[in-house]
Amino acid sequence: MTTAFDDWNALAKRRALPVAKDLTPARRKAIRARLAGAGLDGWRQALAAVEASPHCRGENDRGWRADIDFVATATKFQKLREGSYGPVPTADAAPVQTFPGPAALRASVVAAKDEAFALAWIDPCGWDEANRVLLARNTFALNKLRAELGEWMVRHKVRAEIATPATQAQAA
C-alpha cells in the first residue's frame, strides 16, 4: 500500500504533478481496491500511462493534471491500463514490446530513472548497435529522451535519433 503511494509521489515530483500529502482512509481504500484487482504491477502500469500521456501531465486546453485520486478511481485506473489516455501496453493486450538493445543498457536506464520510465520511453525505441543510437518513434519521444536522459546518454556514449525507414533497416 505505501509502496503504491510512494510510487505515485515519485512520479508526481518527477513530472510536476500534484504530490499526495496524506494517505487518507478514502485513498487507502481506493488504492487497496486497485492493488487487489491488478497488483502492484498493474498500479505501476497505470502510473506509466500517466507519465506517457501528455493529457494527464497537463498538456491540454484546461491545464488539468492527473492526481493520485484520479489514478485510484476504478474507471480511470482501468482506462489508464487500457491505453485510453495514451499508448501504453497492457498485460492482456498484445505482448509488451521490449527494448531490442542490450539488457544491461536498459537496466542502467531503470537505475537512473525507474521501470515506468523504461517501459514508457525506452522499450518502444529501436536500437542501432553499430552506432549506439536509440531510435525514437517520433519527435516528442526524441525530445523526452534527450531531456530526461541527456547526462546518461553522454556517460553511456549513446545518441538518440528519430527512427526512419533507413535507420530501422540498418538496425535490423
Side-chain angles (χ1 to χ4, degrees):
M1 173 76 63
T2 58
T3 301
F5 185 78
D6 292 343
D7 285 352
W8 166 261
N9 279 336
L11 166 64
K13 289 173 187 169
R14 190 171 59 251
R15 303 301 295 163
L17 296 171
V19 173
K21 301 217 182 296
D22 300 305
L23 184 53
T24 64
R27 285 180 173 163
R28 186 178 300 278
K29 181 179 177 182
I31 293 169
R32 186 178 293 126
R34 303 301 73 81
L35 293 173
L40 189 57
D41 286 343
W43 178 260
R44 288 179 172 159
Q45 205 174 43
L47 296 186
V50 168
E51 188 159 22
S53 169
H55 177 77
C56 289
R57 293 190 321 263
E59 298 171 33
N60 56 68
D61 61 346
R62 298 173 299 157
W64 172 86
R65 298 173 299 151
D67 61 18
I68 193 168
D69 299 313
F70 173 83
V71 177
T73 301
T75 56
K76 305 305 183 199
F77 180 79
Q78 190 64 33
K79 286 182 177 189
L80 283 165
R81 293 187 62 233
E82 291 172 351
S84 294
Y85 298 96
V88 174
T90 62
D92 28 5
V96 174
Q97 182 177 3
T98 57
F99 179 58
L105 195 68
R106 185 186 188 282
S108 71
V109 170
V110 171
K113 300 303 273 178
D114 62 22
E115 180 62 31
F117 182 89
L119 178 67
W121 300 103
I122 299 300
D123 290 356
C125 287
W127 175 248
D128 175 355
E129 178 65 39
N131 298 306
R132 294 189 57 81
V133 176
L134 285 170
L135 300 171
R137 60 187 177 266
N138 56 40
T139 304
F140 183 81
L142 176 65
N143 291 337
K144 173 74 172 175
L145 290 169
R146 287 179 174 168
E148 297 284 331
L149 292 176
E151 292 176 22
W152 177 91
M153 288 194 294
V154 169
R155 243 184 353 267
H156 290 85
K157 298 179 179 150
V158 170
R159 291 181 302 122
E161 297 176 3
I162 295 176
T164 64
T167 58
Q168 288 173 335
Q170 201 173 11

